[in-house]
């Protein structure tokens, strides 16, 4: 299978091209891989009900078999087709946030292949806020299983070019809808527990969820490292993730103190990943900005492209600045934290 999947000609088609949804849906029905755009990140999609097609996703990504996939649906009504014992909160959330960057974990019906859900009894489902992708799902007539389209462990894919870089030759089609608006993967909430559990922070914030549902447990994998052999609710959260090849260190503290710390420790092969407002402070160190601190949406949209830019041989360490607080900043703290193995230096205390 390795040879078969690595010799395909990979075509990038614009989401605006006529018939692109039909072409993509046809590939999905044939059991092939198609990269699909979403508002969060690009996904590596396949028919979620076809074990053989789903196996191609795991192989292309080098994804551990114990890490289940999200099923993407075109409409919230599809929730009843795939899940049972659906609590009222699921309908409330779908009403409030779908289509959008929210994934719900619910009890899985028996016909969903074990490979898709990695042998679990639950399934993660989400309805993406991307018209062309919902149309592909509708035309294919099946839910599309799609992890983020990066090679496992690498920063996620927020452009069609990122997907091409990681997977050219392994799939026939990438559907290009431009850079992803949200830029970090969906929020995941497990509704099989009471209170519900936040497994991954994302574009729908904890505050928004709490406003609707009341108390929510935040899984410990959201804010810290998890041992490789630990049993966790979202297996994807325990692996080193999102990381460039070099070490990443988060430097926390005021702008001035952080700059002082970084200037004291930086070597010529290190880089600085900072906010746009800080570029002037690092003029001599080839700084890279990933967005504005005052506008977290720009940070989430820019984070993975920046981490990919820093994924180059010759770079030894990245000193990264990370926004504080709640809301969307939580998702950025989680992704940067994981890229850094949650290695944080407090510049206020470490000079
Ligand atoms: O925004 C997104 O969610 C993107 C786009 C493509 O939709 N997809 C995505 O998929 O991020 P992936 O595979 O990279 O991350 C899915 C996460 C993993 O951490 C996985 O362990 C977790 O969801 N997951 C999947 N099914 C689960 C389940 N039944 N219970 C708990 N966690 C689950
Ligand atoms: Mg992923």
């Amino acid at each position: 299978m390795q040879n078969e999947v690595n010799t395909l000609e990979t075509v990038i088609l614009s989401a605006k091209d006529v018939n692109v949804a039909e072409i993509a849906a046809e590939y999905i029905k044939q059991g092939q891989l198609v990269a699909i755009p979403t508002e969060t990140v690009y996904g590596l999609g396949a028919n979620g009900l076809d074990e053989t097609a789903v196996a191609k996703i795991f192989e292309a990504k080098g994804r551990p078999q114990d890490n289940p996939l999200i099923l993407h649906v075109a409409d919230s009504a599809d929730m009843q087709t795939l899940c049972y014992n659906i609590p009222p909160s699921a309908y409330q959330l779908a009403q409030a946030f779908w289509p959008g960057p929210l994934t719900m974990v619910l009890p899985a019906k028996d016909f969903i292949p074990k490979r898709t859900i990695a042998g679990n009894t639950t399934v993660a489902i989400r309805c993406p806020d991307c018209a062309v992708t919902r149309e592909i799902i509708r035309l294919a007539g099946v839910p599309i299983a799609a992890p983020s389209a990066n090679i496992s462990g690498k920063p996620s894919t927020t452009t069609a070019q990122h997907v091409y870089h990681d997977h050219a030759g392994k799939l026939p089609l990438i559907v290009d809808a431009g850079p992803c608006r949200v830029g970090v993967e969906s929020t995941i909430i497990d509704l099989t527990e009471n209170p519900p559990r936040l497994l991954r922070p994302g574009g729908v914030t904890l505050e928004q969820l709490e406003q609707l549902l009341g108390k929510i447990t935040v899984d410990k994998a959201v804010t810290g490292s998890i041992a490789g052999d630990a049993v966790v609710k979202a297996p994807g959260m325990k692996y080193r993730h999102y990381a460039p090849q070099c070490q990443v260190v988060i430097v926390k503290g005021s702008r001035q103190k952080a700059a002082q710390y970084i200037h004291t420790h930086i070597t010529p092969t290190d880089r600085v990943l900072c906010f746009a407002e800080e570029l002037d402070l690092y003029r001599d160190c080839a700084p890279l900005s990933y967005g504005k601190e005052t506008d977290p949406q720009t940070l989430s949209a820019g984070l993975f492209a920046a981490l990919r830019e820093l994924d180059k041989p010759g770079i030894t360490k990245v000193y990264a600045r990370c926004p504080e607080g709640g809301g969307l900043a939580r998702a950025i703290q989680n992704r940067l934290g994981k890229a850094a193995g949650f290695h944080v230096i407090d510049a206020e205390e470490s000079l």
Side-chain angles (χ1 to χ4, degrees):
M1 189 152 79
Q2 183 76 44
N3 284 340
E4 186 205 326
V5 292
N6 280 329
T7 53
L8 293 168
E9 187 198 343
T10 302
V11 173
I12 302 181
L13 289 182
S14 163
K16 292 186 194 134
D17 283 8
V18 260
N19 294 341
V20 69
E22 282 84 356
I23 297 166
E26 199 48 44
Y27 280 128
I28 295 288
K29 286 199 256 182
Q30 289 168 7
Q32 306 245 41
L33 298 179
V34 174
I36 50 169
T38 82
E39 78 282 29
T40 58
V41 299
Y42 278 75
L44 194 60
N47 177 353
L49 303 182
D50 175 346
E51 294 246 22
T52 314
V54 164
K56 291 182 185 171
I57 297 179
F58 283 89
E59 176 167 350
K61 277 188 60 105
R63 182 176 178 101
Q65 300 287 336
D66 71 347
N67 196 1
L69 302 174
I70 294 174
L71 285 183
H72 295 71
V73 297
D75 194 284
S76 52
D78 297 335
M79 195 154 66
Q80 281 116 292
T81 316
L82 299 167
C83 309
Y84 68 98
N85 271 356
I86 302 170
S89 56
Y91 295 102
Q92 278 177 281
L93 289 171
Q95 171 92 41
F97 301 116
W98 278 3
L102 179 71
T103 296
M104 298 187 227
V105 174
L106 290 163
K109 285 198 178 157
D110 274 350
F111 67 87
I112 301 174
K114 284 293 166 206
R115 196 189 287 274
T116 303
I117 53 178
N120 290 325
T121 54
T122 57
V123 61
I125 62 171
R126 113 166 171 95
C127 180
D129 186 15
C130 178
V132 72
T133 289
R134 288 201 308 280
E135 185 62 7
I136 296 169
I137 300 167
R138 224 173 271 127
L139 293 172
V142 290
I144 295 187
S148 51
N150 51 289
I151 299 278
S152 259
K154 287 294 174 189
S156 300
T157 37
T158 52
T159 65
Q161 289 66 38
H162 293 160
V163 184
Y164 190 86
H165 175 271
D166 282 16
H167 296 297
K170 297 188 223 166
L171 76 175
L173 176 63
I174 298 169
V175 179
D176 184 356
C180 299
R181 172 172 62 81
V182 179
V184 292
E185 303 86 339
S186 60
T187 304
I188 305 180
I189 186 156
D190 184 351
L191 297 175
T192 66
E193 283 191 38
N194 201 359
R197 181 181 289 264
L198 180 76
L199 299 182
R200 183 173 71 183
V204 172
T205 64
L206 178 61
E207 292 80 358
Q208 286 175 299
L209 294 171
E210 280 172 338
Q211 199 166 29
L212 207 73
L213 303 184
K215 184 174 164 45
I216 289 168
T217 310
V218 177
D219 197 83
K220 56 183 186 314
V222 169
T223 50
S225 292
I226 298 293
D229 56 357
V231 177
V232 291
K233 283 290 218 162
M237 296 296 277
K238 79 184 174 200
Y239 298 108
R240 184 170 190 245
H241 229 134
Y242 313 121
Q245 13 190 317
C246 67
Q247 200 192 352
V248 179
V249 180
I250 294 172
V251 183
K252 152 182 175 179
S254 70
R255 216 159 256 175
Q256 278 64 35
K257 282 278 167 46
Q260 228 176 313
Y261 177 90
I262 291 170
H263 282 296
T264 312
H265 292 85
I266 197 163
T267 76
T269 53
D270 297 340
R271 296 288 301 272
V272 180
L273 178 64
C274 64
F275 308 126
E277 295 94 329
E278 298 180 330
L279 282 168
D280 271 357
L281 288 170
Y282 300 104
R283 257 189 312 243
D284 318 337
C285 339
L288 181 63
S289 143
Y290 64 111
K292 284 194 191 141
E293 185 178 23
T294 47
D295 186 358
Q297 168 89 47
T298 61
L299 294 172
S300 73
L303 178 62
F304 285 130
L307 288 174
R308 281 183 167 258
E309 174 74 29
L310 295 167
D311 188 17
K312 297 215 173 97
I315 300 179
T316 40
K317 195 189 272 194
V318 171
Y319 291 98
R321 296 282 287 150
C322 184
E324 311 252 319
L328 187 56
R330 247 190 217 98
I332 300 159
Q333 290 151 15
N334 170 262
R335 306 309 191 278
L336 249 188
K338 285 181 72 68
F342 291 98
H343 183 184
V344 181
I345 286 166
D346 187 345
E348 305 287 333
E349 291 169 4
S350 310
L351 287 172

